[in-house]
């Protein structure tokens, strides 16, 4: 009898879990939200190193995720591990990741390292690597083979579709809890060393007509690739070819389980792009986002991997990928402390998530890309971001979707910013001036300041920041602002719970934020 009751309770629990809504990305008025468990979710992410998704390595991953205060782990699924023999699938790593993520109360974004990883095919199964005649690589312009998979190989496409569909089918069966909230299809697809594939099969397509779907999407007249796109023809042809391949893989997976899916981009310089060939060709770089949208409609978004620490380039990338037809998500960024402040820049651009790369204690680092060797000191600035925002991430995600959030990060030579809310302007001064008006802010020794202000009501704001001061001005220049009430507190179950009131030294000269994770609900008036 006891065993029967336990079985019934287990079945009821599984049935309830299965009714949890599938995560999805929704859009309204050019804004986006990642819906998890039926409500907006802000991904406070961390991506592990490429070779860390093995059972022996996971004990070195979870401590770093907790030190970061992350709510989501991005981690690979390796095709070579998943399909060790043709049609034979090993789901043990997926099952282990799900089990451990639930134990650690962390969501997952799984990264399908399939046909492409950083432009190469190094994660394809060995049985494919040994049959290069069937699963070919790109042929360069001079006839030399390039270490990058051809997007014009039907056998490769069919094998990837079959494996990815099996992966998603299994995931649907074993994850009714919706532990996995998003899937990355391939990794930085495209090619280095050749702008496109020059094999006979590819050349025949290049000499033929541009597909009608792309002509319609871009408003172009019919013709060959060279006729329609001129000097951009090689690059645009390759972008279409790669995106078409990735889109078909994504569609095969979505037919099994329609989780949100995205492709990530190895970027070109957003301010001074070099010539084609100086950056990875074929991936969703900023100049071919429209091509990717037309070629791969099964993808929910394309996302930038940002390893540019200077603010001008970082902010330009956010601008380019924050589009009415594309939710902004930064799935990889540098993990040296200089990148931490950009979390607030992402929030200020209505981003749905942010993730530093290489977050684990396996001992690997990739310093040229801004990925530092991990320890708690390295993670401190990122951890501070998540400690501030984590307890209210649902509220911030909802306010952002409603268009009520503005956030900024300090730039090297810019010591203040203004955030316009119409009747009120929030003035952010970087540095911690203490007493005094702060009209001439000195900035921080290194640009570490960041601030977030969200509108809660007609004269009510949610305010937080680090290494800065936030003050307000009324649109009526004849009126002076008054802090009617400044409450420090935190959200609990969607309700703001005050812990104390600020006044006196804490409000006389504005609201000063240091490294303490403080969140304020501010009610303003005038006199």
């Amino acid at each position: 009898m006891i065993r029967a009751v336990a079985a019934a309770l287990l079945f009821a629990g599984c049935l309830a879990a299965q009714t949890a809504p599938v995560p999805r990305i929704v859009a309204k008025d050019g804004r986006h939200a990642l819906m998890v468990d039926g409500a907006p979710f802000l991904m406070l992410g961390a991506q592990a190193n490429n070779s860390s998704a093995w059972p022996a390595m996971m004990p070195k991953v979870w401590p770093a995720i907790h030190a970061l205060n992350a709510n989501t782990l991005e981690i690979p699924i390796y095709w070579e591990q998943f399909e060790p023999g043709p049609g034979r699938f090993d789901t043990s790593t997926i099952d282990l990741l799900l089990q451990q993520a639930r134990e650690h109360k962390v969501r997952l974004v799984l990264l399908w390292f399939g046909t492409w990883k950083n432009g190469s095919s190094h994660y394809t199964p060995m049985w494919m690597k040994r049959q290069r005649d069937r699963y070919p690589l790109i042929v360069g312009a001079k006839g030399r083979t390039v270490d990058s998979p051809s997007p014009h190989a039907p056998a490769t496409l069919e094998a990837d579709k079959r494996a990815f569909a099996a992966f998603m089918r299994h995931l649907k069966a074993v994850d009714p809890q919706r532990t996995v909230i998003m899937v990355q299809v391939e990794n930085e697809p495209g090619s280095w060393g050749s702008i496109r594939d020059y094999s006979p099969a590819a050349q025949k397509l290049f000499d033929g007509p541009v597909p009608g779907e792309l002509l319609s999407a871009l408003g172009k007249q019919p013709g060959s690739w060279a006729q329609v796109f001129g000097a951009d023809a090689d690059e645009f042809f390759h972008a279409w070819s790669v995106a078409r391949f990735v889109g078909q893989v994504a569609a095969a997976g979505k037919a099994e389980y329609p989780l949100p899916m995205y492709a990530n981009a190895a970027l070109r310089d957003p301010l001074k792009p070099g010539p084609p060939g100086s950056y990875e060709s074929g991936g969703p770089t900023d100049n071919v986002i429209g091509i990717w949208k037309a070629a791969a409609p099964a993808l929910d978004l394309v996302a930038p991997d940002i390893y540019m620490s200077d603010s001008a380039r970082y902010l330009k990338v956010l601008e380019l990928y924050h589009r009415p037809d594309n939710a902004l998500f930064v799935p990889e960024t540098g993990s040296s402390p200089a990148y931490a402040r950009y979390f607030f820049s992402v929030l200020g651009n209505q981003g749905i998530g942010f993730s530093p790369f290489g977050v684990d204690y396996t001992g690997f680092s990739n310093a040229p890309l801004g990925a530092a060797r991990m320890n708690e000191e390295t993670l401190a600035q990122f951890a501070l971001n998540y400690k501030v925002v984590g307890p209210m991430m649902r509220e911030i995600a909802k306010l952002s979707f409603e268009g009520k959030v503005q956030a900024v990060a300090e730039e090297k030579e810019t010591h203040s910013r203004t955030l316009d809310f119409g009747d009120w302007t929030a003035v952010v001064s970087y540095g911690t001036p203490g007493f005094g008006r702060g009209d001439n802010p000195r900035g921080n020794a290194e640009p570490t300041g960041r601030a977030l202000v969200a509108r809660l009501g007609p004269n009510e704001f949610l305010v937080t920041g680090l290494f800065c001061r936030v003050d307000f001005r009324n649109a009526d220049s004849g009126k002076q602002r008054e802090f009617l009430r400044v409450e420090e507190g935190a959200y609990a179950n969607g309700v703001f719970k005050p812990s104390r009131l600020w006044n006196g030294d804490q409000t006389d000269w504005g609201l000063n934020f240091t490294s303490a994770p403080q969140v304020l609900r501010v009610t303003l008036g005038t006199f």
Side-chain angles (χ1 to χ4, degrees):
M1 181 67 179
I2 293 175
R3 184 174 298 175
V5 170
L9 289 173
L10 178 61
F11 176 78
C14 291
L15 189 63
Q18 288 173 346
T19 63
V22 176
R24 61 195 179 103
I25 292 175
V26 297
K28 180 181 179 181
D29 300 329
R31 298 186 298 272
H32 303 86
L34 171 61
M35 306 294 285
V36 176
D37 297 332
F41 181 92
L42 178 60
M43 192 187 304
L44 311 179
Q47 185 170 154
N49 279 301
N50 292 164
S51 300
S52 295
W54 295 95
M57 294 297 103
M58 292 308 297
K60 298 179 181 180
V61 173
W62 294 115
I65 301 308
H66 289 297
L68 189 64
N69 302 308
N71 64 16
T72 306
L73 169 63
E74 296 178 21
I75 196 161
I77 298 297
Y78 313 120
W79 188 358
E80 61 183 346
Q81 182 278 327
F82 180 69
E83 192 178 7
R88 180 166 58 87
F89 301 111
D90 179 355
T91 64
S92 60
T93 296
I94 298 171
D95 297 339
L96 177 71
L97 291 173
L98 289 171
Q99 174 194 332
Q100 293 189 0
R102 291 167 190 155
E103 291 170 354
H104 289 274
K105 297 179 171 56
V106 170
R107 302 280 185 163
L108 293 174
V109 173
L110 296 181
L111 318 177
W112 176 243
F113 281 15
T115 296
W116 278 276
K117 167 64 175 79
N118 292 8
S120 299
S121 59
H122 299 168
Y123 285 86
T124 54
M126 186 179 294
W127 54 266
M128 292 181 66
K129 294 173 184 174
R130 287 174 168 168
Q131 301 180 70
R132 283 302 181 202
D133 56 336
R134 182 171 172 77
Y135 308 105
L137 301 176
I138 278 176
V139 176
K142 296 182 179 181
R144 185 176 181 181
T145 301
V146 176
D147 185 17
S148 184
S150 171
H152 306 291
T156 306
L157 174 61
E158 291 307 310
D160 202 340
K161 286 168 57 179
R162 179 188 65 197
F164 188 66
F167 159 47
M168 295 302 296
R169 184 164 55 248
H170 179 74
L171 192 57
K172 179 181 180 180
V174 298
D175 190 27
Q177 298 92 326
R178 316 304 186 199
T179 306
V180 179
I181 58 176
M182 196 180 297
V183 173
Q184 177 182 291
V185 188
E186 316 299 341
N187 181 275
E188 294 186 0
S191 61
W192 295 94
S194 182
I195 297 172
R196 67 172 177 91
D197 187 1
Y198 292 86
S199 66
Q203 191 62 40
K204 183 178 180 180
L205 292 170
F206 181 79
D207 292 335
V210 175
E213 311 99 289
L214 183 57
L215 294 173
S216 177
L218 301 184
K220 298 288 187 178
Q221 295 300 311
S224 69
W225 286 89
Q227 290 169 338
V228 175
F229 296 112
D232 294 320
D234 289 331
E235 184 178 12
F236 286 12
F237 170 74
H238 197 42
W240 170 266
S241 303
V242 174
R244 197 70 168 170
F245 185 113
V246 175
Q248 290 179 75
V249 174
K254 271 201 167 179
E256 300 291 342
Y257 185 24
L259 282 178
M261 295 182 185
Y262 71 95
N264 60 329
L267 303 178
R268 64 180 196 158
D269 190 318
L271 299 180
K272 297 180 179 180
S278 64
Y279 51 88
E280 186 180 42
S281 178
T285 49
D286 65 88
N287 56 327
V288 294
I289 293 175
I291 293 175
W292 270 76
K293 292 288 181 183
L299 294 175
D300 295 87
L301 61 103
V302 293
D305 292 350
I306 313 180
Y307 294 96
M308 305 170 186
S309 61
D310 64 292
S311 59
R313 285 175 170 78
Y314 206 107
L315 298 178
K316 184 63 177 179
V317 171
L318 298 184
E319 175 190 327
L320 290 168
Y321 284 82
H322 175 207
R323 298 163 40 126
D325 65 348
N326 195 70
L328 176 63
F329 171 46
V330 179
E332 287 187 39
T333 195
S335 55
S336 64
Y339 287 89
R341 69 190 191 277
Y342 292 124
F343 170 65
F344 278 71
S345 300
V346 172
L347 297 183
N349 281 274
Q350 215 262 309
I352 63 171
F354 176 88
S355 183
F357 172 76
V359 180
D360 59 44
Y361 295 149
T362 60
F364 181 79
S365 67
N366 198 340
L369 291 181
R373 188 181 180 94
M374 286 294 107
N375 54 51
E376 290 196 13
E377 182 179 354
T378 304
L379 292 174
Q381 288 293 321
F382 294 94
L384 194 51
N385 288 338
Y386 291 177
K387 189 173 184 180
V388 170
V389 175
M392 58 179 179
M393 68 87 180
R394 290 278 189 181
E395 288 71 29
I396 295 299
K398 180 175 183 294
L399 289 165
S400 179
F401 190 43
E402 295 169 351
K404 297 177 180 178
V405 170
Q406 296 191 49
V408 290
E410 185 174 4
E411 300 175 43
K412 191 73 173 178
E413 305 299 332
T414 304
H415 301 325
S416 67
R417 288 284 300 275
T418 58
L419 309 177
D420 187 0
F421 288 91
D423 53 341
W424 288 100
T425 298
V427 181
V428 180
S429 303
Y430 298 118
T432 50
F435 300 106
R437 288 178 53 84
D439 290 337
N440 296 300
R442 63 178 181 268
N444 293 291
E446 293 295 328
T448 56
R450 51 263 209 200
L452 178 146
V453 181
R455 185 146 213 167
L456 300 177
N459 295 298
E460 189 175 69
F461 294 87
L462 188 71
V463 184
T464 191
L466 296 164
F467 314 109
C468 70
R469 169 186 286 179
V470 179
D471 207 341
F472 289 86
R473 296 174 185 158
N474 191 265
D476 187 337
S477 59
K479 294 181 178 180
Q480 300 181 58
R481 70 101 179 103
E482 181 177 11
F483 289 120
L484 300 180
R485 192 174 182 86
V486 178
E487 303 165 286
E488 180 183 341
Y491 278 92
N493 299 319
V495 178
F496 188 83
K497 301 287 187 181
S499 56
R500 64 167 173 167
L501 298 182
W502 280 23
N503 221 318
D505 292 345
Q506 277 66 51
T507 61
D508 285 348
W509 303 102
L511 309 172
N512 290 336
F513 295 92
T514 57
S515 61
Q518 295 170 316
V519 178
L520 307 177
R521 183 170 65 182
V522 178
T523 304
L524 300 171
T526 59
F527 62 90

